[in-house]
Amino acid sequence: MSGLTRARRAAAVAATAAAAATALLAAPSAVAAPQPIVGGTTTTTSAYPFMMQITDASQDQFCGGTLVSPTKVVTAAHCMTGETTGSVRVVGGRTYLNGTDGTVARVGHIWIHPDYRRVTRGDDVAVLTLSTPMPYATAPYVSSSDTAVYAAGSTARVLGWGTTSSGGTSSNQLRTATVPTVSDSSCASSYRTRFVPSDMVCAGYSSGGVDTCQGDSGGPLLIGGRLAGITSWGDGCAAAGYPGVYTRLTTFSDEVTAQVGR
């Protein structure tokens, strides 16, 4: 997550993309921007069929998302600010960014958490309703009572097509990595008042080296095989002392469930 947010805007929307990248790369602040997994390994959408690309209308990927029902995708609010149902597509079953396989769905409705203002204030969650269902396995997600999953040191898995170094080149192939969750007190020591423990959880190594980055925004943080977080922001990517910051999904699980059921 170089800079702040970890979203990547498609080249087709140059002005918006440049603004997003600047926000993401601006060091101790937070804004949405694109990035690939740092320090991970390549994988496939066959291994993680619920992993979705969120793209512009030309199918240029700028964020990730998690399929939680055939027509519902959980992603980050900062990925969807300024977007419309006509400007966004969701692509499933496509391991490579330059591929043409998989399933492309239009978006019929975008729900952004009504309290979202910026990533460092929390509420960084959105749900997309697809116009047509995806034919892929979905991911289970945590309930509001599953707060124990964030115990410090829990193994979490991240996924994305983001850059493999801060400000570097994006990965054409889907990548994955594991990172340990970090205690709230440790995360607060790094980010101070920008860390909102009710809405955020941190994951990463104190020495750095493994992290999400630009282009990974909106993708999953999986703990115990369940969606427990959403890639949100961070200062730089894989920097020592600055773990990645993820939306704490237990806080928003009931609201997500309401959207899944609508």
Side-chain angles (χ1 to χ4, degrees), residues 9-32:
R9 295 297 172 189
V13 242
T16 303
T22 299
L24 173 59
L25 296 171
S29 40
V31 184

Side-chain angles (χ1 to χ4, degrees), residues 132-229:
T132 54
M134 284 285 179
Y136 306 110
T138 60
Y141 59 93
V142 293
S143 70
S144 58
S145 62
D146 289 330
T147 54
V149 299
Y150 305 113
S154 297
T155 299
R157 180 169 296 279
V158 291
L159 294 153
W161 287 270
T163 59
T164 52
S165 64
S166 181
T169 303
S170 296
S171 175
N172 184 48
Q173 183 174 353
L174 179 64
R175 294 179 67 86
T176 185
T178 57
V179 285
T181 54
V182 174
S183 69
D184 290 350
S185 59
S186 178
C187 193
S189 294
S190 297
Y191 292 114
R192 302 187 181 279
T193 59
R194 292 179 297 152
F195 175 67
V196 182
S198 62
D199 291 16
M200 304 171 189
V201 62
C202 289
Y205 295 95
S206 58
S207 57
V210 182
D211 198 4
T212 47
C213 203
Q214 298 142 338
D216 291 325
S217 281
L221 178 81
L222 304 168
I223 303 176
R226 292 178 294 169
L227 178 65

Side-chain angles (χ1 to χ4, degrees), residues 45-105:
T45 53
S46 295
Y48 299 99
F50 49 78
M51 185 65 197
M52 302 283 114
Q53 292 182 26
I54 296 179
T55 77
D56 64 11
S58 299
Q59 296 180 39
D60 290 322
Q61 183 263 352
F62 61 88
C63 275
T66 305
L67 189 72
V68 296
S69 88
T71 59
K72 304 290 179 174
V73 174
V74 173
T75 188
H78 76 255
C79 288
M80 292 295 107
T81 55
E83 301 294 345
T84 67
T85 55
S87 69
V88 176
R89 303 289 185 272
V90 174
V91 182
R94 185 176 294 176
T95 295
Y96 296 91
L97 293 182
N98 64 356
T100 57
D101 56 338
T103 304
V104 180

Side-chain angles (χ1 to χ4, degrees), residues 32 38 223 257:
V38 177
I223 303 176
T257 296

